[in-house]
Amino acid sequence: MQIKRYEAVDMQEALKLVKGELGPDAVILSTKQIKKDNGVFGMFSRQVIEVVAARDYVDKHQVKTPSESLQTGFIETDEFLKEELRKIRNDMRETPGELRDMKSELGLLKGYIQELLRDGEQEHLKTLHDNLVIFLRRLISEGMDRNIAYRLVQILNNKLSEEQKDNTDEINSYGHELIQKQVKITGPICNEHKDRKIAVFVGPTGVGKTTSIAKIAAKYTLIDKKKVSLITFDTYRVGAVEQLKIYAKIIGLPVDVVLSPSDLRGVLDRKKDADLILIDTAGRSHKDRTYVNELSKLMSQTIEIDCHLVLSATSSNTVLTDIIGKFKDIKINSLLFTKLDEADNYGAVFSSMINAQKPLSYFTTGQRVPEDIELAAAGRLCRLILKMDAVSSH
Ligand SMILES: Nc1nc2c(ncn2[C@@H]2O[C@H](COP(=O)(O)OP(=O)(O)O)[C@@H](O)[C@H]2O)c(=O)[nH]1
Ligand SMILES: [Mg+2]
């Protein structure tokens, strides 16, 4: 490995120097803003950027076999860069006084990482078989996060022979199999052998939490003849309980309202004979910290609670990533996707599952209660992504 230190007036110039000398495969090891003294008492000192970069002497033709699991097999560069970011974050924690400088350095480094990955990707794309590039573009146009789509195609590239790459049917068939293998699902909410199951549904307002609960409650009450009980946790007293009460009345179920996290234990104690307890939640907005904080307290009241993060399949990758980030302090067990009937594509459902590293529980496909819900299934999602299946609307 060759390591070099560069100084430049800004990041752009530094990158030019690094790439010019070490080539496009160079990696940045660290960046720092430093003051260069240029006069008495540093009166004319100026800020420059110090970049330490490295180039590895790896034989480019050496073929690595990447892991087929996207959950664990992220490409090496990712791991290395993530480690660098982790180190910088730790430094930031230790030196609060220099926090602002460190933050801006982190921003610069992040930008550079993205640029580096994008550059690497562009270079690599030129070496890919045309049919794989077409498959990659297809996944991206189906809403899949581009990094994830790119990793899938890298795996295919290593797996398939040149002859297979010439055949689009082979690419589609292996691609289909690969995507399907990555999809993780939970299975039904009620486990036959478990005594009592408690599940809470969290997520942004209007995403379909209450409707999904009504669908699940109706299925288990009317078809499976289970003893179902409903609870509403209404952090802001937004009146969400009324909607659930209407559904509960139709299905013939009791509803309890919990106004503070500490009330939950008492209510659960009174429902010892229930097979399934579904907890609806309502807040002003998931952006409001109170909702998330209160949920976190609610979850800490009982350990046997299963948390479904409810997300809409109509949201973009960026929005979904943002929402998942907002709920990072809550122990989420699975993702439930609603409004598949309104979505144009399903790549973002897959990307969110990979990014959040959580399995999928249910898909909802319309407004009808209880009909429009199905258990999440790997084959179904894969067929939806590749437009081999459609969600019928009523
Ligand atoms: N098209 C469609 N609409 C849905 C679906 N699930 C829920 N909705 C609608 O989304 C709106 C908000 O649902 P609601 O359950 O009140 O959301 P909550 O605020 O998360 O509880 C309602 O009009 C529902 O009928 C779905 O799968 N497809
Ligand atoms: Mg609701």
Side-chain angles (χ1 to χ4, degrees):
M1 182 180 275
Q2 181 187 5
I3 299 179
K4 283 207 75 168
R5 194 179 145 277
Y6 297 87
E7 277 178 18
V9 283
D10 56 24
M11 198 61 182
Q12 249 178 342
E13 193 195 310
L15 294 186
K16 236 188 248 167
L17 290 172
V18 172
K19 284 189 188 171
E21 203 167 331
L22 299 181
D25 293 337
V27 286
I28 298 286
L29 299 180
S30 69
T31 66
K32 212 194 297 178
Q33 273 182 332
I34 51 172
K35 273 206 177 91
K36 281 293 238 189
D37 275 355
N38 229 357
V40 192
F41 306 121
M43 275 174 68
F44 301 104
S45 65
R46 61 195 171 95
Q47 290 268 6
V48 295
I49 290 183
E50 183 199 83
V51 172
V52 179
R55 173 176 60 178
D56 212 354
Y57 295 115
V58 177
D59 179 0
K60 278 197 170 169
H61 304 290
Q62 198 181 315
V63 178
K64 292 211 180 91
T65 320
S67 154
E68 284 203 13
S69 165
L70 288 177
Q71 315 255 2
T72 53
F74 290 110
I75 52 175
E76 258 174 39
T77 349
D78 266 13
E79 278 313 319
F80 173 77
L81 296 170
K82 273 187 197 155
E83 182 52 35
E84 285 300 305
L85 283 174
R86 252 195 303 275
K87 277 189 213 152
I88 292 179
R89 280 204 194 98
N90 283 342
D91 286 352
M92 282 173 65
R93 261 180 229 123
E94 281 160 22
T95 54
E98 294 163 17
L99 201 66
R100 213 176 311 130
D101 284 355
M102 294 291 262
K103 263 192 174 163
S104 77
E105 279 170 28
L106 189 65
L108 287 172
L109 190 60
K110 262 189 174 170
Y112 178 67
I113 289 169
Q114 271 156 6
E115 197 179 314
L116 196 69
L117 288 174
R118 199 56 56 85
D119 277 3
E121 185 187 306
Q122 289 305 327
E123 281 302 306
H124 191 247
L125 280 184
K126 288 184 202 151
T127 67
L128 274 185
H129 192 292
D130 283 354
N131 286 341
L132 283 175
V133 176
I134 291 168
F135 191 68
L136 173 69
R137 301 219 187 290
R138 181 174 169 198
L139 297 182
I140 295 170
S141 73
E142 291 305 334
M144 199 178 281
D145 172 277
R146 62 179 298 125
N147 287 330
I148 290 173
Y150 182 57
R151 280 181 210 137
L152 286 171
V153 169
Q154 276 183 316
I155 294 171
L156 287 179
N157 187 38
N158 285 295
K159 195 181 166 88
L160 302 181
S161 67
E162 287 309 307
E163 209 173 301
Q164 286 174 309
K165 288 175 199 169
D166 286 337
N167 184 338
T168 48
D169 287 344
E170 290 267 343
I171 292 187
N172 288 338
S173 145
Y174 276 100
H176 186 291
E177 191 187 314
L178 180 62
I179 296 171
Q180 190 165 328
K181 252 201 248 169
Q182 312 296 328
V183 180
K184 302 281 178 280
I185 52 155
T186 58
I189 201 167
C190 251
N191 182 330
E192 283 304 314
H193 311 292
K194 273 227 166 141
D195 299 339
R196 185 177 71 159
K197 185 85 184 196
I198 307 168
V200 61
F201 296 74
V202 306
T205 28
V207 78
K209 296 182 293 298
T210 307
T211 319
S212 301
I213 288 173
K215 290 170 182 173
I216 295 170
K219 178 205 173 296
Y220 279 107
T221 310
L222 307 174
I223 302 169
D224 294 39
K225 310 288 179 212
K226 298 261 186 198
K227 202 164 182 324
V228 180
S229 198
L230 305 175
I231 295 175
T232 277
F233 180 54
D234 194 354
T235 41
Y236 263 114
R237 295 161 211 216
V238 287
V241 68
E242 290 314 316
Q243 191 194 354
L244 194 67
K245 267 187 180 160
I246 295 168
Y247 285 125
K249 199 169 169 201
I250 299 168
I251 310 166
L253 296 178
V255 187
D256 282 75
V257 184
V258 166
L259 292 174
S260 88
S262 53
D263 294 344
L264 182 66
R265 230 251 171 256
V267 175
L268 290 179
D269 284 348
R270 279 190 270 116
K271 293 173 179 284
K272 284 229 160 62
D273 59 338
D275 298 312
L276 176 65
I277 299 174
L278 301 171
I279 308 176
D280 194 7
T281 63
R284 234 179 246 160
S285 148
H286 70 279
K287 291 189 176 151
D288 188 332
R289 286 298 307 169
T290 314
Y291 173 60
V292 179
N293 290 343
E294 290 291 287
L295 286 177
S296 177
K297 284 187 216 155
L298 184 84
M299 302 279 293
S300 65
Q301 303 297 310
T302 168
I303 44 158
E304 9 135 43
I305 204 159
D306 224 2
C307 184
H308 297 248
L309 175 57
V310 184
L311 299 165
S312 168
T314 59
S315 305
S316 67
N317 273 310
T318 321
V319 170
L320 291 170
T321 307
D322 181 52
I323 297 168
I324 290 167
K326 294 269 177 345
F327 285 90
K328 71 178 182 322
D329 295 335
I330 294 171
K331 194 185 162 293
I332 303 291
N333 297 87
S334 55
L335 308 181
L336 185 157
F337 271 93
T338 60
K339 310 194 183 184
L340 267 72
D341 55 310
E342 288 185 353
D344 296 323
N345 51 48
Y346 302 92
V349 173
F350 179 84
S351 310
S352 302
M353 179 208 65
I354 297 285
N355 284 333
Q357 306 221 347
K358 301 289 173 206
L360 304 169
S361 57
Y362 287 90
F363 295 148
T364 76
T365 55
Q367 292 184 299
R368 297 179 312 168
V369 177
E371 295 93 336
D372 294 334
I373 188 160
E374 55 190 58
L375 251 184
R380 167 79 153 148
L381 177 60
C382 192
R383 288 193 300 277
L384 285 171
I385 294 171
L386 297 175
K387 293 266 188 291
M388 296 157 73
D389 243 3
V391 176
S392 55
S393 51
H394 297 271

